[in-house]
Amino acid sequence: MRQHSLVRQHSTFPRLFGSLLLVVAAGISSIGAAPERGAPSPAPAPAARPLDQIVPAPAQVRAGGAAYTLTARSRIQVAGRSHEDAREARRIGSYLAGLLRPSTGYALPVTDRRGDGGIRLRLVGSDGRDRERAPLAQHALGLGEEGYRLESGRGGVTITAQEPAGLFHGVQTLRQLLPASVEKRTPQPGPWTVAGGTITDTPRYAYRGAMLDVSRHFLTPDQVRLYIDQLALYKINKLHLHLSDDQGWRIAIDSWPRLATYGGSTQVGGGPGGYYTKAQYRELVSYAASRHLEVIPEIDMPGHTNAALASYAELNCDGVAPPLYTGTAVGFSSLCAPKEVTYDFVDDVIRELAALTPGKYLHIGGDEAHSTSHADYVTFMERTQAVVRKYGKTVVGWHQLTGATPVEGAVAQYWGYDATSAAERARVAAATKKGTRLILSPADRVYLDMKYDRSTVLGQSWAGYTEVDRSYDWDPATYLAGAGVSEDAVLGVEAPLWTETLATNDQLESMAFPRLPGVAELGWSPAATHDWDTYKARLAAQGPRMAALGIDYYRSPLVNWPAGQ
């Protein structure tokens, strides 16, 4: 791969967490302090970053007015429309303070006491009032669950939202409005200035996801937490965990314990593999929720199941367990659809996984089941979807699910690409006309493991080469319009990161970045903002920020990265 190595911050999770927090808080606001008597006049401050020069692009920007500079006297003021929301605002305020303190060196106390100036984080009701019933921002109306309004001026920065997720997303915007060095874990010189003006921002799509394949190579909880923090910066709100495949089973299931202890004991190329205990999985779900990401677990079935078949002989039609698999071929394995024990297995796994997962979705895979007959596939998917609904979850499956009969409310994840047949696209379109909604993950656009070009060492190229411009320059609303899919059928977008060739943080990051921010923008920003030429300039400005965070990103030659990046 075309690597330009960074001096990476090899940090533990707590260190990364602090770095991210720094980024968020620095962008919110500050109160200017008078210079000490006799002190030399400070050098002129560099111009603040324009409000529209962030990723994802905000929906509305009104620039103008005095800038705000964070200083040692700045506070973070929090308010909520209820005691519960006040606590949530305080939690987000503490997160912000934790991000900003290491690089600024400021105390940044978090308080619910009103005062002049500072960083203000406010959760307001649909009537535009805070917990004290004082008129706040009637302009907050219509922000929905994830929208926010950021106002910056000489006296401070105020972020207003109707729901905690919106307040958190506003904090991510604040991070990006501050200098990139705010992301560092050691004191930096500043100044910490936010341009004056107002941003009013809401997402285009409710579903903005990233998938992490922890099956081909097992990724530790710390690696997953690191990725969650990186996703949060760009307002991703779904984390799809691919928990099972031929090469490894990664979640403990009490009723079938060998799935994890034996089926999880290896990975691509051999090695020790690994799995998440239930406690570890719950902690990852909780950590993601603290960053306002919903975890969507996937157990891929009936194909991609060799790890399960090797663990329990009775799941095989011939009653013989195959050996564990460490290669990268697909399509050779299948659960035995005619056997009733198969559905006992499915019920147990989904029941235990649903109980661990507070989110609404549960992904059942369904792709590349080449060793399953069509009749068996239809039967299996019909019965498995019923189990998912039995335990209160919404079915998600890869788009091959449309080859069976998706249940009411089911979501199909489309991973087709240029080589996908017209007949397959038509089948997907027909399902949308019956109510199935789509998550778009076209493999030749947003599969983050695809090589950038012929010189890329890591990744694969079966869907072609995917440079940064190709990953960004498409419209989810019209991508399948030629097949008859309407914009209303599109739930959102997701960028999968498969790990056949990836195992370390540096390897994951070099493939995900800088393509992932572009996919996040496709999901968040209005279609009117979509323009490669303006986007690549904003992306270039992300280079120093990613470097400050220790992200080992690919320096695409299509982007004019700042000198030294």
Side-chain angles (χ1 to χ4, degrees):
M1 144 172 227
R2 185 180 298 148
Q3 287 284 329
H4 303 258
S5 180
L6 293 176
V7 177
R8 179 181 176 77
Q9 297 176 357
H10 289 288
S11 59
T12 62
F13 155 67
R15 293 179 62 193
L16 172 76
F17 172 69
S19 175
L20 290 172
L21 289 173
L22 281 172
V23 176
V24 176
I28 292 187
S29 75
S30 71
I31 301 173
E36 297 180 7
R37 184 175 298 174
S41 299
R49 181 181 302 280
L51 297 183
D52 60 352
Q53 294 302 297
I54 64 172
V55 176
Q60 298 177 34
V61 175
R62 180 173 57 81
Y68 176 68
T69 300
L70 193 72
T71 75
R73 296 194 330 203
S74 297
R75 299 179 302 158
I76 299 175
Q77 303 170 34
V78 298
R81 60 179 178 258
S82 66
H83 291 302
E84 181 180 353
D85 282 342
R87 286 195 299 270
E88 187 65 16
R90 176 174 284 275
R91 188 193 68 77
I92 296 171
S94 297
Y95 163 85
L96 176 59
L99 287 172
L100 298 177
R101 286 168 180 157
S103 58
T104 65
Y106 302 155
L108 297 172
V110 179
T111 178
D112 57 6
R113 299 182 62 180
R114 291 177 181 265
D116 295 332
I119 298 168
R120 310 176 190 93
L121 303 181
R122 297 185 174 182
L123 280 172
V124 303
S126 59
D127 59 357
R129 293 173 176 268
D130 68 7
R131 63 184 173 87
E132 296 179 1
R133 310 307 293 170
L136 250 185
Q138 294 298 329
H139 51 243
L141 299 176
L143 293 177
E145 293 186 4
E146 295 191 279
Y148 66 91
R149 186 178 179 93
L150 184 150
E151 299 165 281
S152 176
R154 188 182 305 278
V157 173
T158 299
I159 302 177
T160 304
Q162 289 177 211
E163 300 293 342
L167 199 62
F168 184 82
H169 294 325
V171 162
Q172 305 310 313
T173 291
L174 234 178
R175 288 174 70 177
Q176 290 196 32
L177 293 175
L178 289 166
S181 57
V182 79
E183 308 285 354
K184 295 188 175 182
R185 295 290 297 150
T186 55
Q188 303 296 313
W192 311 109
T193 300
V194 180
T198 301
I199 294 173
T200 304
D201 207 7
T202 56
R204 183 183 186 189
Y205 292 108
Y207 190 109
R208 306 176 308 282
M211 191 216 76
L212 195 56
D213 171 17
V214 298
S215 295
R216 271 51 180 273
H217 278 98
F218 178 66
L219 303 177
T220 67
D222 278 351
Q223 287 180 290
V224 178
R225 282 190 288 263
L226 173 58
Y227 202 55
I228 288 170
D229 279 329
Q230 292 165 348
L231 298 175
L233 175 59
Y234 296 105
K235 303 182 177 71
I236 295 291
N237 69 349
K238 310 292 182 190
L239 175 63
H240 170 183
L241 288 178
H242 186 77
L243 292 169
S244 70
D245 215 297
D246 292 314
Q247 299 85 355
W249 185 284
R250 307 303 183 198
I251 180 68
I253 301 295
D254 293 340
S255 51
W256 298 75
R258 277 175 56 84
L259 291 172
T261 58
Y262 184 69
S265 65
T266 191
Q267 58 191 14
V268 168
Y275 66 92
Y276 307 119
T277 67
K278 286 190 169 182
Q280 288 174 322
Y281 178 80
R282 287 191 188 98
E283 196 282 330
L284 287 176
V285 169
S286 177
Y287 188 79
S290 76
R291 305 300 188 266
H292 294 276
L293 277 84
E294 176 184 350
V295 170
I296 300 169
E298 179 190 354
I299 301 297
D300 204 348
M301 303 178 282
H304 290 276
T305 48
N306 193 81
L309 298 171
S311 301
Y312 288 95
E314 60 265 40
L315 297 177
N316 297 270
C317 287
D318 62 3
V320 178
L324 292 169
Y325 182 68
T326 61
T328 59
V330 299
F332 63 89
S333 61
S334 179
L335 292 170
C336 189
K339 275 189 171 183
E340 197 60 31
V341 68
T342 295
Y343 303 102
D344 294 337
F345 163 82
V346 168
D347 192 284
D348 287 338
V349 169
I350 290 177
R351 170 177 49 81
E352 293 192 34
L353 192 54
L356 294 170
T357 306
K360 67 181 290 188
Y361 298 107
L362 198 150
H363 203 304
I364 58 173
D367 63 319
E368 297 175 321
H370 305 319
S371 296
T372 311
S373 71
H374 177 69
D376 282 351
Y377 182 85
V378 170
T379 297
F380 180 88
M381 297 310 282
E382 177 182 341
R383 295 190 63 174
T384 299
Q385 289 181 90
V387 174
V388 173
R389 298 183 77 181
K390 170 183 172 182
Y391 292 111
K393 301 300 181 183
T394 297
V395 171
V396 185
W398 298 105
H399 74 261
Q400 284 76 13
L401 174 65
T402 62
T405 304
V407 296
E408 182 180 357
V411 177
Q413 185 168 358
Y414 182 81
W415 60 273
Y417 57 116
D418 284 355
T420 300
S421 70
E424 190 168 357
R425 292 174 187 244
R427 189 185 69 210
V428 171
T432 66
K433 291 176 171 58
K434 296 178 181 178
T436 299
R437 301 195 70 188
L438 298 182
I439 299 164
L440 295 183
S441 300
D444 56 349
R445 299 283 185 169
V446 301
Y447 267 35
L448 301 179
D449 59 306
M450 289 298 109
K451 294 175 181 287
Y452 292 96
D453 59 26
R454 291 182 183 276
S455 68
T456 307
V457 174
L458 298 171
Q460 304 187 81
S461 60
W462 57 262
Y465 299 113
T466 308
E467 250 291 2
V468 180
D469 58 343
R470 181 168 178 80
S471 185
Y472 173 81
D473 205 9
W474 62 285
D475 184 357
T478 60
Y479 182 73
L480 288 175
V485 174
S486 70
E487 182 175 5
D488 292 343
V490 177
L491 185 62
V493 296
E494 181 178 295
L497 182 57
W498 302 99
T499 61
E500 285 93 338
T501 68
L502 312 174
T504 68
N505 289 342
D506 286 344
Q507 290 170 346
L508 296 167
E509 291 166 2
S510 67
M511 299 303 284
F513 295 92
R515 290 181 290 197
L516 182 66
V519 181
E521 176 153 310
L522 290 174
W524 180 278
S525 303
T529 67
H530 190 80
D531 177 75
W532 165 248
D533 288 332
T534 57
Y535 170 71
K536 70 180 180 181
R538 287 184 287 112
L539 180 61
Q542 292 293 309
R545 190 168 304 277
M546 290 188 287
L549 285 167
I551 295 174
D552 192 14
Y553 67 98
Y554 163 69
R555 277 62 164 181
S556 169
L558 304 181
V559 178
N560 186 23
W561 305 104
Q565 295 301 307

